Amino acid sequence: MTKEEFQTAFKPIADGLFGKQGGRGYERPHFDVRPLGDMLADLADIPPEEWYGYAFSREPLNGKFDDVQRRGWMEQSLACGREYATKICDKYQTKDPRELAKAMSMDVSFPEFPEKTDRVLFAEFRVPNKICIYMDAVKKAEKLFESPGVLEVLTRELDVSRLLLSHELFHWVEEQYHEEIFTKTEKIRLWSLGFLHNDSNIIALGEIAAMGFAQEITGIGYSPYLMDVFLVYGYSPEEASGLYEEMMELAGRKIEL
Ligand SMILES: [Zn+2]
């Protein structure tokens, strides 16, 4: 993928993020660009457990759930991620995600852009043991540390590529412990008929737990979900501002105009 392809690939993805309101022929809403530091300060103020609205907004089965379930799963999945962070760090005697990756024989690479143009990703895990961290996004984010107020909120504790790597490592951990780990064993019954039934995993649980895992390993004091705004901002401040508004609304927070 070239730089130009990556830029254009971004647009339909961002469209998808806000596509809930419309179908074909609908015009994307425009958002006022907000200062990055202000947005991050507001988002860092939302406790990790209160991100359930946003965390489930990308879940295909979300329409079947209510907020009591979402909140319950949010708490359980975060706890699961944190528990496995402690377990894995104890097992390998390190809290450094790069050392962990090495000890777990992961094949980690740092290409500039994803190979395929169908989705925009900042990092990805592929079974059995491949992790890619896309450096164009990381470098753009690193430059944004110089924007007013950003470092104060994100702190020097944040190393973007380590955070992304930690998140992806959890997906490998999930595979290793799939018979017992909460994010894989918890299922929802989609239908049952006599002795027949169809149970499904809930994708959001693994994503939430990966955030809990990454937060525990990196020691940052805020939810890693705010990285979505931070990383998108490097490509489109307007899309990032729209994403911020959505996150604030889903967390029941007031937005200052
Ligand atoms: Zn993930």
Side-chain angles (χ1 to χ4, degrees):
M1 206 189 239
T2 65
K3 203 173 190 117
E4 289 69 32
E5 281 170 338
F6 192 70
Q7 284 281 8
T8 24
F10 209 83
K11 232 189 136 224
I13 293 290
D15 279 353
L17 295 179
F18 310 108
K20 279 182 284 186
Q21 302 100 313
R24 230 168 287 156
Y26 121 101
E27 204 181 320
R28 225 153 42 90
H30 292 282
F31 299 100
D32 292 334
V33 173
R34 293 167 185 273
L36 181 59
D38 293 356
M39 294 196 288
L40 294 177
D42 286 347
L43 297 173
D45 195 48
I46 303 172
E49 283 73 13
E50 286 176 28
W51 281 84
Y52 61 89
Y54 181 69
F56 278 93
S57 67
R58 273 68 180 160
E59 163 61 49
L61 300 171
N62 193 28
K64 297 184 182 294
F65 311 145
D66 60 38
D67 268 350
V68 176
Q69 283 174 305
R70 289 185 196 105
R71 200 187 169 108
W73 276 323
M74 185 83 197
E75 286 167 5
Q76 285 172 294
S77 303
L78 281 174
C80 166
R82 290 172 186 147
E83 179 198 327
Y84 274 85
T86 312
K87 196 166 163 165
I88 295 298
C89 293
D90 278 356
K91 185 172 173 186
Y92 296 104
Q93 289 293 301
T94 177
K95 269 197 119 177
D96 179 338
R98 293 191 191 195
E99 292 296 321
L100 282 173
K102 221 188 276 171
M104 299 193 287
S105 305
M106 303 296 294
D107 170 14
V108 183
S109 58
F110 299 87
E112 287 293 305
F113 305 102
E115 264 168 49
K116 291 188 205 145
T117 51
D118 58 341
R119 300 185 286 166
V120 169
L121 298 166
F122 302 121
E124 77 185 297
F125 165 70
R126 273 182 247 151
V127 269
N129 71 336
K130 198 169 164 47
I131 289 176
C132 296
I133 309 290
Y134 300 114
M135 292 309 286
D136 187 63
V138 172
K139 285 180 201 160
K140 280 204 161 65
E142 277 164 1
K143 280 211 190 95
L144 291 172
F145 270 103
E146 292 155 23
S147 307
V150 172
L151 182 62
E152 286 86 330
V153 176
L154 299 181
T155 73
R156 294 207 184 275
E157 222 120 52
L158 178 68
D159 177 315
V160 178
S161 67
R162 279 168 195 263
L163 181 72
L164 294 173
L165 177 57
S166 306
H167 175 110
E168 300 307 327
L169 284 176
F170 179 77
H171 291 310
W172 181 85
V173 170
E174 252 189 319
E175 296 295 324
Q176 305 310 300
Y177 294 90
H178 66 99
E179 279 174 12
E180 58 190 84
I181 195 164
F182 172 74
T183 56
K184 293 284 188 190
T185 57
E186 180 77 354
K187 288 185 199 292
I188 174 172
R189 181 141 300 179
L190 294 179
W191 53 262
S192 60
L193 185 70
F195 291 111
L196 298 173
H197 56 254
N198 184 10
D199 293 344
S200 169
N201 282 115
I202 306 156
I203 296 164
L205 305 189
E207 291 313 313
I208 297 166
M211 296 301 189
F213 184 88
Q215 194 186 355
E216 185 72 25
I217 285 187
T218 55
I220 53 171
Y222 42 84
S223 169
Y225 274 107
L226 66 71
M227 296 303 293
D228 285 3
V229 162
F230 186 45
L231 293 172
V232 169
Y233 200 93
Y235 294 93
S236 167
E238 191 190 339
E239 297 294 353
S241 301
L243 200 50
Y244 158 83
E245 288 183 19
E246 189 191 359
M247 287 171 171
M248 291 289 280
E249 214 180 292
L250 287 166
R253 301 263 164 155
K254 269 220 177 79
I255 302 169
E256 309 257 336
L257 293 171

